[in-house]
């Protein structure tokens, strides 16, 4: 049984980071949150554009993502900062995080505190105290089976489908064999390959949910009356040799490995069991990784051929390449280069083991390239208009 | 779909993912007139590039008729919008996807 280091939360879940999260409920609170973050090194802020003028499912989704970020086991404590008149219900966000995790969560409100300066001052004091509190949480040996790993590809080129995704698929199999879980997202990027994924579904219900999620995306493309090519595959994907969404998708799906598909979950929804799950999400890198973080995954393995710096505020993102030229040119962004497989110098199994070793090191505290460089991209997928 | 360990040989110039494919993917940029050799399931395939084509892009493995399905990984990646000669570049100028086509 492979061991990693982690932080056990009051609800029993295990994080591989011990973040102090500063959570604005609405775009209007971003600046206050950013100022507090600057005062307390080690805290992380998740400024975003949403939280007001939203209704229905769209509002529910933003709420779910914000609560999910707070609930993620990589987070030790949360400061919620609201404005006071927004659509998001800050009190409810705080209460849900506390009820489901038992973590310390404190809420302050800009209108109640009497403006930005007062809120920054109070928020800084609270954040300092929370920071001291979470320092005492032990960093202990835990099993790799505690890990839920997101697998994602972005900035793909032909090497993604030929090399880095099949190699990551081998790693995915190893993680599942160790008792861990794998989550793949990107509904748009299984279009044309869904029949292969559907064969892995454990039952008809899972299979139908998979097909339904794809059909919803395709209906939206029909409504817009466009060819999705140019948006996905993107101009960079096309320059890298990918000619259609089908080609991209067929290269994408191998990163999940060979395990049966246990279930399909909605965007930012908690993963209900062990093994391989699919999360209905856009292919957009940041929206997908943010949705995975809100679903409670603790680590993302992210393959890229064109090269991307993508990180996340609370989840380490390991960048994996199959393109030797890019891996050298963008060495400060790439954690693992699997291109020796394409050159016949290494087997898929050997490269898959290299990724697994990197996962163990990163999960145990070593920083990813994205963490070292401070990449903390965060974006919530919207499904409605702003009112 | 399963990628076989033996698919990759040291220094190979291109790869066929499945025996039923009609395209080959380049592992390095090639010049017009260059002769390339690869293997799939122990079958040796030789192909002459008809134009300069970049790393990661595809060449037709055989003559592909207009309207014919283009296959990679043993699966459809779209259809040919023109007749494509063996060794010609296969990309967005002569291949269209069938899926995600709200424009049709």
């Amino acid at each position: 049984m492979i061991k990693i280091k982690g932080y056990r939360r009051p609800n029993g879940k295990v994080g591989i980071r011990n973040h102090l999260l500063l959570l604005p409920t609405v775009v209007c609170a971003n600046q206050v949150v950013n100022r507090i973050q600057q005062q307390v090194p080690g805290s992380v802020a998740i400024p975003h554009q949403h939280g007001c003028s939203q209704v229905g499912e769209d509002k529910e989704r933003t709420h779910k993502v914000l609560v999910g970020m707070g609930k993620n086991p990589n987070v030790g404590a949360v400061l919620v900062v609201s404005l006071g008149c927004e659509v998001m219900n800050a009190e409810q966000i705080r209460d849900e995080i506390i009820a489901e995790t038992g973590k310390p969560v404190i809420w302050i409100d800009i209108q109640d505190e009497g403006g930005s300066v007062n809120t920054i001052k109070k928020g800084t004091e609270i954040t300092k105290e929370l920071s001291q509190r979470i320092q005492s949480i032990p960093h202990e040996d835990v099993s790799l089976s505690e890990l839920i790993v997101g697998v994602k590809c972005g900035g793909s080129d032909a090497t993604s489908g030929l090399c880095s995704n099949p190699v990551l698929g081998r790693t995915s199999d190893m993680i599942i064999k160790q008792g861990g879980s794998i989550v793949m997202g990107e509904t748009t990027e299984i279009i044309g390959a869904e029949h292969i994924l559907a064969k892995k579904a454990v039952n008809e219900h899972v299979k139908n949910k998979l097909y339904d999620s794809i059909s919803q995306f395709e209906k939206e493309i029909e409504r817009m009356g466009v060819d999705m090519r140019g948006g996905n595959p993107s101009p960079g994907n096309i320059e890298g040799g990918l000619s259609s969404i089908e080609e991209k998708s067929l290269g994408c799906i191998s990163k999940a490995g060979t395990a049966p598909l246990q279930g399909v979950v909605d965007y930012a929804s908690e993963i209900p069991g062990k093994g391989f799950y699919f999360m209905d999400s856009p292919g957009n890198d940041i929206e997908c990784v943010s949705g995975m973080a809100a679903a409670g995954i603790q680590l993302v393995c992210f393959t890229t051929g064109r090269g991307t710096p993508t990180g996340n505020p609370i989840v380490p993102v390991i960048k994996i390449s199959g393109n030797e030229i890019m891996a050298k040119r963008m060495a400060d962004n790439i954690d693992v280069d699997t291109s020796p497989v394409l050159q016949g110098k290494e087997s898929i199994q050997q490269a898959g083991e290299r990724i697994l070793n990197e996962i163990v090191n990163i999960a145990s505290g070593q920083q990813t390239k994205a963490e070292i460089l401070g990449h903390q991209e965060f974006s919530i997928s919207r499904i409605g208009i702003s009112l | 779909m399963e990628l076989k360990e033996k698919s990759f040989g040291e220094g190979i110039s291109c790869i066929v993912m499945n025996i039923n494919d009609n395209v080959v993917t380049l592992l390095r940029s090639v010049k017009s007139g260059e002769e390339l050799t690869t293997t799939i399931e122990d079958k040796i395939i030789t192909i002459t590039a008809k134009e300069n084509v970049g790393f990661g892009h595809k060449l037709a493995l055989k003559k592909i008729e207009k309207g014919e399905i283009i296959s990679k990984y043993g699966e459809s990646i779209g259809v040919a919008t023109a007749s494509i000669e063996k060794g010609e570049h296969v990309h967005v100028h002569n291949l269209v996807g069938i899926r995600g086509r709200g424009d049709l």
Side-chain angles (χ1 to χ4, degrees):
Chain A
M1 189 63 79
I2 300 176
K3 291 275 180 198
I4 54 169
K5 290 260 186 200
Y7 302 88
R8 198 165 287 280
R9 303 300 172 200
N11 62 351
K13 298 208 167 162
V14 168
I16 59 169
R17 294 292 183 268
N18 198 28
H19 287 302
L20 201 173
L21 181 68
L22 309 179
L23 193 158
T25 54
V26 62
V27 59
C28 315
N30 282 352
Q31 174 68 348
V32 165
V33 161
N34 285 337
R35 287 286 189 230
I36 298 168
Q37 195 278 325
Q38 286 164 0
Q39 299 304 317
V40 188
S43 63
V44 286
I46 50 166
H48 58 87
Q49 297 176 17
H50 314 306
C52 207
S53 318
Q54 292 180 269
V55 286
E57 281 181 21
D58 181 53
K59 172 191 149 191
E60 293 309 318
R61 177 177 281 200
T62 296
H63 173 88
K64 193 164 144 188
V65 172
L66 295 177
V67 170
M69 291 298 281
K71 277 165 52 184
N72 186 296
N74 286 355
V75 170
V78 187
L79 174 70
V80 176
V81 182
S82 60
L83 173 60
C85 51
E86 66 270 37
V87 158
M88 285 300 124
N89 184 330
E91 189 176 11
Q92 204 183 330
I93 289 172
R94 178 198 62 186
D95 291 350
E96 281 180 33
I97 301 171
I98 293 175
E100 293 181 41
T101 68
K103 292 175 202 174
V105 185
I106 295 182
W107 162 43
I108 53 172
D109 182 278
I110 297 170
Q111 290 171 353
D112 275 356
E113 296 303 328
S116 297
V117 173
N118 287 340
T119 317
I120 292 165
K121 185 169 179 287
K122 186 164 179 187
T124 302
E125 281 163 7
I126 295 167
T127 305
K128 219 177 64 188
E129 281 164 27
L130 287 174
S131 176
Q132 279 165 348
R133 270 179 80 175
I134 64 171
Q135 295 308 316
S136 62
I137 300 170
H139 198 204
E140 57 193 23
D141 280 345
V142 293
S143 163
L144 183 79
S145 65
E146 300 279 359
L147 275 188
I148 310 173
V149 177
V151 292
K152 168 83 183 86
C153 51
S156 298
D157 72 357
T159 64
S160 305
L162 300 185
C163 181
S164 52
N165 284 335
V167 170
L168 179 55
R170 195 61 66 90
T171 312
S172 295
D173 285 347
M174 295 174 195
I175 290 166
I176 286 180
K177 206 174 159 193
Q178 287 287 326
S181 297
I182 294 292
V183 178
M184 180 166 78
E186 308 175 89
T187 311
T188 38
E189 295 178 20
I190 57 168
I191 294 175
E194 64 271 46
H195 55 293
I196 300 169
L197 207 52
K199 277 185 206 148
K200 297 189 193 178
V202 290
N203 58 41
E204 283 300 305
H205 171 74
V206 172
K207 186 184 281 185
N208 292 339
K209 192 151 187 211
L210 183 73
Y211 279 119
D212 286 350
S213 61
I214 294 158
S215 124
Q216 227 167 344
F217 264 101
E218 275 197 305
K219 272 188 199 141
E220 194 58 20
I221 296 158
E222 272 167 35
R223 190 185 64 79
M224 293 170 78
V226 292
D227 179 357
M228 70 183 282
R229 184 162 79 179
N232 199 347
S234 70
N237 297 149
I238 292 169
E239 204 183 312
L242 299 176
S243 307
S244 66
I245 189 62
E246 294 96 312
E247 182 180 10
K248 187 174 174 183
S249 296
L250 289 161
C252 267
I253 57 165
S254 57
K255 63 183 180 282
T258 58
L261 178 64
Q262 300 293 338
V264 176
V265 299
D266 293 333
Y267 183 76
S269 290
E270 235 177 80
I271 309 307
K274 289 276 183 188
F276 166 42
Y277 281 82
F278 182 80
M279 189 183 78
D280 184 16
S281 80
N284 179 285
D285 294 348
I286 314 303
E287 289 184 15
C288 180
V289 172
S290 300
M292 286 175 164
I297 62 117
Q298 305 105 318
L299 182 102
V300 169
C301 287
F302 189 119
T303 66
T304 179
R306 305 290 294 171
T308 167
T310 305
N312 181 269
I314 59 167
V315 168
V317 180
I318 299 175
K319 232 63 61 47
I320 301 157
S321 162
N323 182 328
E324 185 195 15
I325 301 159
M326 184 280 292
K328 284 186 175 149
R329 210 173 48 225
M330 293 181 65
D332 58 347
N333 298 117
I334 304 301
D335 297 279
V336 183
D337 178 27
T338 64
S339 66
V341 172
L342 270 189
Q343 294 146 7
K345 293 174 183 162
E346 190 180 31
S347 71
I348 289 177
Q349 178 67 21
Q350 286 168 331
E353 282 166 9
R354 265 200 301 129
I355 297 177
L356 185 69
N357 283 337
E358 187 74 0
I359 289 171
V360 170
N361 291 336
I362 297 292
S364 301
Q366 183 188 306
Q367 289 205 308
T368 61
K369 299 271 177 87
E371 285 180 299
I372 290 167
L373 294 174
H375 278 285
Q376 299 189 345
E377 290 77 16
F378 175 68
S379 152
I380 302 167
S381 166
R382 292 272 315 259
I383 43 176
I385 55 161
S386 285
L387 300 178
Chain B
M1 194 57 213
E2 221 12 51
L3 194 59
K4 303 207 170 40
E5 301 283 356
K6 63 177 181 183
S7 296
F8 300 114
E10 199 161 349
I12 61 166
S13 56
C14 58
I15 179 169
V16 184
M17 297 303 286
N18 184 284
I19 190 92
N20 299 317
D21 290 356
N22 50 12
V23 290
V24 59
T25 306
L26 298 174
L27 297 182
R28 61 172 172 80
S29 297
V30 298
K31 296 262 181 238
S32 175
E34 210 174 309
E35 191 171 282
L36 312 169
T37 305
T38 188
T39 58
I40 176 82
E41 295 185 7
D42 300 326
K43 191 178 140 198
I44 297 169
I45 294 165
T46 308
I47 181 170
T48 306
K50 282 214 183 292
E51 50 198 312
N52 296 344
V53 180
F55 164 69
H57 286 237
K58 299 173 289 299
L59 299 182
L61 206 52
K62 53 186 88 160
K63 185 175 165 63
I64 302 169
E65 301 296 342
K66 184 179 175 180
E68 202 179 317
I69 296 279
I70 298 174
S71 296
K72 181 177 169 180
Y73 304 103
E75 300 283 339
S76 164
I77 61 165
V79 294
T81 54
S83 159
I84 307 169
E85 293 299 317
K86 181 179 176 182
E88 248 184 82
H89 187 199
V90 178
H91 201 25
V92 289
H93 61 290
N94 54 15
L95 180 163
V96 284
I98 303 167
R99 303 290 304 280
R101 295 296 302 274
D103 57 323
L104 297 179

